[in-house]
Amino acid sequence: MPDRTPAVPVRIDPRGPRFAAGLTTLVLLLVLATSSGVALVAQAVVFALGAILGLRWSPYGWLYRRLVRPRLGPPQELEDERPPRFAQAVGLGFAVVGAAGYLSGAAWLGIAASAAALAAAFLNAVFGYCLGCELYLLGVRGRARLNHG
């Protein structure tokens, strides 16, 4: 299987994904408070745009670039976009499962999936710890071991 990784990865301001995680935390709190499958579908669309098209195409990324970043100094460093994009894909999976739960009447599934996504978003927003990013890095390390082992 050919490697489709770009030669030079896209580099991003690491504060953007944390801002997005903060907004995601608020949306997921709303979802859990209202049991709204529709709100979770909207969050799934946000996750999908970030995962598939890139973080700059996510509505939260756009808000960060337009409203927040101009008020901040430049970032001290940039980071590879691939781990946060993978994290968006993981969030998308939880949002799709949760929305299916809420919309089909299996509220327990909606609550469980939304709560798991909320925990991950909260960790990123408050502590800067991205669970999806760590999963991505574990996968990269595992693949490297298989290729060189």
Side-chain angles (χ1 to χ4, degrees):
M1 182 169 180
D3 183 14
R4 292 191 174 92
T5 304
V8 178
V10 173
R11 310 284 293 166
I12 60 168
D13 181 342
R15 299 170 296 185
R18 270 188 93 171
F19 171 79
L23 292 178
T24 300
T25 296
L26 295 175
V27 170
L28 293 172
L29 284 170
L30 173 74
V31 166
L32 286 166
T34 63
S35 296
S36 174
V38 174
L40 196 50
V41 167
Q43 180 60 50
V45 169
V46 171
F47 283 141
L49 290 169
I52 297 166
L53 300 177
L55 300 179
R56 63 180 281 188
W57 297 104
S58 164
Y60 300 164
W62 182 87
L63 285 172
Y64 176 77
R65 282 192 328 279
R66 298 287 182 216
L67 302 177
V68 178
R69 183 158 182 194
R71 291 166 174 72
L72 303 174
Q76 292 181 359
E77 60 187 31
L78 298 176
E79 70 180 15
D80 185 347
E81 182 189 44
R82 292 174 294 185
R85 276 183 78 171
F86 180 81
Q88 293 288 294
V90 172
L92 173 60
F94 278 97
V96 166
V97 169
Y102 282 124
L103 297 173
S104 71
W108 64 269
L109 182 58
I111 292 167
S114 298
L118 172 61
F122 179 82
L123 283 173
N124 194 357
V126 176
F127 300 108
Y129 187 80
C130 176
L131 285 173
C133 300
E134 294 299 323
L135 288 173
Y136 174 86
L137 295 173
L138 282 171
V140 167
R141 288 184 201 116
R143 192 171 352 131
R145 281 192 201 119
L146 288 174
N147 291 336
H148 294 100

